[in-house]
Amino acid sequence: VVGIEEVARRAGVSTATVSRALSGRGQVSAAARARVQAAADSLGYVVSAAASSLASGRTRNVGVLVPFLDRWFFGTVLSGLSSGLMRHGYDLTLYAVNADAAERRAVFETFVRRRRVDGVIAISLKLGDDETERLLELGIPVIAVGGPNPHLTTLTVDDHAIGRTAAEHLLGLGHRRIGHVGAAPEYDVEFRIPTQRRQGFEAALTDAGAPVAADLFAPSDFTIAGGAHAAARLLALPDRPTALFAASDEMAIGAILAAREAGLRVPEDLSVIGVDGHELGEFFGLTTIDQHPRRQGERAAAAILAASEPDASAEPAAELPFELVVRATTAPPAGS
Amino acid sequence: VVGIEEVARRAGVSTATVSRALSGRGQVSAAARARVQAAADSLGYVVSAAASSLASGRTRNVGVLVPFLDRWFFGTVLSGLSSGLMRHGYDLTLYAVNADAAERRAVFETFVRRRRVDGVIAISLKLGDDETERLLELGIPVIAVGGPNPHLTTLTVDDHAIGRTAAEHLLGLGHRRIGHVGAAPEYDVEFRIPTQRRQGFEAALTDAGAPVAADLFAPSDFTIAGGAHAAARLLALPDRPTALFAASDEMAIGAILAAREAGLRVPEDLSVIGVDGHELGEFFGLTTIDQHPRRQGERAAAAILAASEPDASAEPAAELPFELVVRATTAPPAGS
DNA sequence: CTGAAAGCGCTTACAG
DNA sequence: CTGAAAGCGCTTACAG
């Protein structure tokens, strides 16, 4: 492999000048810069990450913590993150923070502390105080995406407003008896997000004088199968709801399938609205609140880069956009 | 942050001994080892990745190349990979190789050449000869998962056998007119996999004297929506097939939905079999050929670690297991 | 089994 | 704008 020495020799300059020319830091004459670039290109020289990091203290790498790798939402955020980082020449080192306590500890006590990264992005993770503390001790920028975290810079959608928007859409269509498929408390460990969506949803119902009954809430995991089971329970109610708000699109799709299974037509007999902007939503004609997950990843990348560069200027806006997308699964209730 | 110097001082040994004790390389007395460990623990010392890499040439990091981050299959392989690597103290640096030619070039010409990783795993990527060459030049182990690659060590299922197994299952039930939802040529850029599945499938049909008609093949992308559209086309045929083999579970699920849409019962009017072992398969009662994607990731992790360690002994078996899982979407055809 | 010291391949004050 | 040289924080022959 070719080193900086060789590039310097070929370009007829010192290694210091090569370093400056290639990194863009410090003054280099246009002529020298051109010769260095040409030499580097022809030799296929790429700066060694380890040597550069050790000497400069910058790694050009960011650590990303995710709770799940096999769910569409996280994969989509991750792909936005990856492309946002790559565009700026940054690498992405991935840490799956799973339920296993020992492995989880290892991530915070060891993996993340190897000084391999210039910044950390935690996606939809509910961090313990000690974990937050470990991250902050790193002395590098830390950004949490999704879910409020009082101790960290946070990039998040207003989940309360999402819940409210969903409720208001259904109320506006004339629905009064509206069920909710949300997270079971056990599944809320990773997020506080579903709880907020539920609260926003219920606040809107209350404001409108619509019922917020315990039996209209069906807890579930965040999968299609879970959503289907939860929805089936609500649809079996003697006085079944005319509309359902699911806290994710996958659960909403499950609800649609459950409705079909129960012989109900969507939206004639049952309206369904979800949250996320899942790619499958279009196929099902699902009305949803799109939170643009890919863009969330891109925004997170931009935010961590801004925080990492010394010339960090504009504090990135902390609020992420969402958008009601009305398709074919919501309509006025049958009687109206 | 605490460095090796401080640990050495506290343990009353040289930094050389600290390094040896912590890394497990070289001889260290039990007593010294214990003192070093205690000192390191109490100080919360973690070896600097950059310094260690630069000095030793080992990074304890592996690079993973994936074509998609937002698809279940890749996310699942990735999670197996992540846990397999983490268990051995390795980091995982992720490179999304997307369709954009310039970005793709950058991955092979720059990102992967920073000497940040000890090995590379390429998942279901159809690599150009030049790309393969770039990877090989790195002088580190490279493993391809999925899809045969004559130039690389490959970990792969026998996709031809998968196609044959699917066909034989349907033939065994008495089906003769069997449709196939597979990859459109355009979508085969990333894989050669679907083509092999199709060939195995067709070979079995031919062996059994069943028809292999061009109009029984519906090309598609690998999504539920795509599978549904492709299946709908086959089901609209005047002489429609009694069974469908989809090259992925997501397409198979799409086919099930399309059948319902067309007023056909599964499996009474149409049998459907997929490939993957997708988590949604259980919900739909889908008969499938499970290729254990999570285990593929774990196997790939084990293989790259084995190849990286100098004491690499057992060459890992190159063939990945698959398994026919019969559930409720396949049955004998109506007439039989 | 242990330590002193060279060296890994860069970056960056410092002096010019 | 440029170069000589120190230094980043480890690891590993080498000598004992």
Side-chain angles (χ1 to χ4, degrees):
Chain A
V1 239
V2 5
I4 197 173
E5 200 84 48
E6 203 170 329
V7 178
R9 220 175 303 127
R10 158 123 25 162
V13 298
S14 70
T15 60
T17 295
V18 172
S19 175
R20 283 189 283 248
L22 259 25
S23 71
R25 304 174 175 269
Q27 305 299 306
V28 185
S29 68
R33 185 182 307 280
R35 288 210 309 286
V36 168
Q37 196 55 257
D41 288 348
S42 75
L43 292 167
Y45 171 70
V46 175
V47 177
S48 152
S52 178
S53 300
L54 186 57
S56 72
R58 279 170 273 109
T59 64
R60 294 175 79 70
N61 187 19
V62 348
V64 176
L65 271 39
V66 287
F68 305 103
L69 249 16
D70 57 358
R71 295 206 190 159
W72 178 85
F73 178 80
F74 293 96
T76 302
V77 174
L78 210 49
S79 81
L81 217 31
S82 167
S83 93
L85 292 173
M86 203 170 262
R87 198 175 308 132
H88 293 272
Y90 273 67
D91 288 332
L92 185 170
T93 294
L94 190 64
Y95 300 99
V97 176
N98 57 34
D100 182 282
E103 273 193 37
R104 181 159 178 145
R105 255 184 72 94
V107 169
F108 292 92
E109 311 276 296
T110 307
F111 284 86
V112 123
R113 302 182 58 196
R114 300 210 244 239
R115 271 157 291 166
R116 205 189 274 289
V117 298
D118 288 336
V120 171
I121 295 176
I123 305 180
S124 299
L125 277 170
K126 183 163 160 189
L127 301 170
D129 285 344
D130 49 330
E131 293 174 338
T132 302
E133 184 51 36
R134 285 296 89 75
L135 255 26
L136 257 12
E137 281 173 4
L138 260 27
I140 56 178
V142 177
I143 289 182
V145 178
N149 187 315
H151 306 293
L152 297 177
T153 301
T154 299
L155 224 54
T156 182
V157 289
D158 182 344
D159 286 293
H160 195 276
I162 282 181
R164 175 173 281 281
T165 301
E168 287 171 350
H169 172 63
L170 296 172
L171 289 164
L173 289 168
H175 294 277
R176 304 291 295 169
R177 217 173 145 63
I178 306 176
H180 178 45
V181 177
E186 315 89 82
Y187 289 94
D188 205 12
V189 286
E190 294 300 348
F191 324 93
R192 298 178 203 183
I193 297 164
T195 299
Q196 299 217 31
R197 289 184 190 161
R198 182 182 175 187
Q199 289 169 346
F201 166 73
E202 293 180 345
L205 292 191
T206 301
D207 288 357
V212 178
D215 67 340
L216 284 176
F217 172 64
S220 169
D221 59 15
F222 266 56
T223 66
I224 291 183
H229 292 132
R233 244 171 295 138
L234 294 176
L235 297 179
L237 248 33
D239 186 14
R240 66 170 168 73
T242 60
L244 249 36
F245 164 48
S248 82
D249 281 347
E250 298 188 67
M251 292 193 286
I253 290 166
I256 293 171
L257 295 173
R260 289 186 189 168
E261 206 67 34
L264 298 173
R265 293 161 306 161
V266 174
E268 292 82 352
D269 304 319
L270 181 76
S271 282
V272 177
I273 180 171
V275 180
D276 269 353
H278 194 291
E279 56 174 0
L280 258 182
E282 217 171 320
F283 176 70
F284 283 97
L286 179 65
T287 292
T288 189
I289 298 178
D290 191 346
Q291 60 167 322
H292 307 298
R294 188 164 211 289
R295 238 182 283 168
Q296 288 188 16
E298 288 169 354
R299 285 283 297 272
I304 202 81
L305 293 179
S308 301
E309 317 261 297
D311 54 319
S313 47
E315 184 69 0
E319 197 88 329
L320 261 15
F322 63 85
E323 176 189 3
L324 174 64
V325 178
V326 179
R327 287 193 282 235
T329 58
T330 49
S336 65
Chain B
V1 240
V2 4
I4 198 173
E5 199 82 49
E6 203 171 330
V7 178
R9 220 176 303 128
R10 160 125 22 163
V13 297
S14 71
T15 58
T17 296
V18 172
S19 176
R20 283 188 284 248
L22 259 25
S23 71
R25 304 173 175 267
Q27 305 298 307
V28 185
S29 69
R33 185 183 307 280
R35 288 209 311 284
V36 168
Q37 195 55 257
D41 288 348
S42 76
L43 292 167
Y45 171 70
V46 175
V47 177
S48 153
S52 179
S53 300
L54 185 56
S56 72
R58 278 171 272 109
T59 64
R60 293 177 79 68
N61 187 19
V62 348
V64 176
L65 271 38
V66 287
F68 306 103
L69 250 15
D70 57 357
R71 295 206 188 159
W72 179 85
F73 179 80
F74 294 95
T76 303
V77 173
L78 211 50
S79 82
L81 216 32
S82 167
S83 93
L85 291 173
M86 204 171 259
R87 198 176 307 132
H88 293 273
Y90 274 67
D91 287 333
L92 184 170
T93 294
L94 190 63
Y95 300 99
V97 176
N98 56 33
D100 183 281
E103 274 194 37
R104 180 159 180 147
R105 255 184 72 95
V107 169
F108 292 91
E109 311 276 297
T110 307
F111 285 88
V112 122
R113 302 182 60 196
R114 300 211 245 239
R115 270 157 292 166
R116 205 190 274 288
V117 298
D118 288 337
V120 171
I121 295 175
I123 306 181
S124 299
L125 277 171
K126 182 163 161 189
L127 301 170
D129 284 345
D130 49 329
E131 293 173 339
T132 303
E133 184 51 37
R134 283 298 88 73
L135 255 27
L136 257 13
E137 281 173 2
L138 260 28
I140 56 178
V142 177
I143 290 182
V145 179
N149 187 316
H151 306 293
L152 297 177
T153 301
T154 298
L155 224 53
T156 182
V157 289
D158 181 344
D159 285 293
H160 195 276
I162 282 181
R164 175 173 280 282
T165 301
E168 287 171 351
H169 171 63
L170 296 172
L171 289 164
L173 289 169
H175 294 277
R176 304 291 294 170
R177 215 171 147 65
I178 307 175
H180 178 45
V181 177
E186 316 88 82
Y187 289 94
D188 206 13
V189 285
E190 293 300 347
F191 324 95
R192 300 176 202 187
I193 298 165
T195 299
Q196 299 218 31
R197 288 185 190 160
R198 181 181 175 186
Q199 288 169 346
F201 166 74
E202 293 181 345
L205 292 191
T206 302
D207 289 356
V212 177
D215 67 339
L216 284 175
F217 172 64
S220 169
D221 60 15
F222 266 56
T223 66
I224 291 183
H229 292 134
R233 245 170 295 139
L234 294 177
L235 297 179
L237 249 34
D239 185 15
R240 66 170 169 74
T242 62
L244 249 36
F245 164 48
S248 83
D249 281 348
E250 298 188 67
M251 290 193 288
I253 290 167
I256 293 170
L257 295 174
R260 289 187 189 167
E261 206 67 34
L264 298 173
R265 292 161 307 159
V266 175
E268 292 82 352
D269 304 319
L270 181 75
S271 282
V272 177
I273 181 170
V275 180
D276 269 353
H278 195 291
E279 55 174 2
L280 258 183
E282 218 173 317
F283 176 69
F284 284 97
L286 179 65
T287 293
T288 188
I289 297 179
D290 192 347
Q291 61 167 322
H292 306 298
R294 191 167 208 288
R295 239 182 281 166
Q296 289 188 16
E298 289 169 354
R299 286 281 296 275
I304 201 83
L305 293 179
S308 301
E309 317 261 297
D311 55 319
S313 46
E315 184 69 1
E319 197 87 328
L320 260 15
F322 64 84
E323 176 189 3
L324 174 65
V325 178
V326 178
R327 289 194 283 236
T329 57
T330 49
S336 64

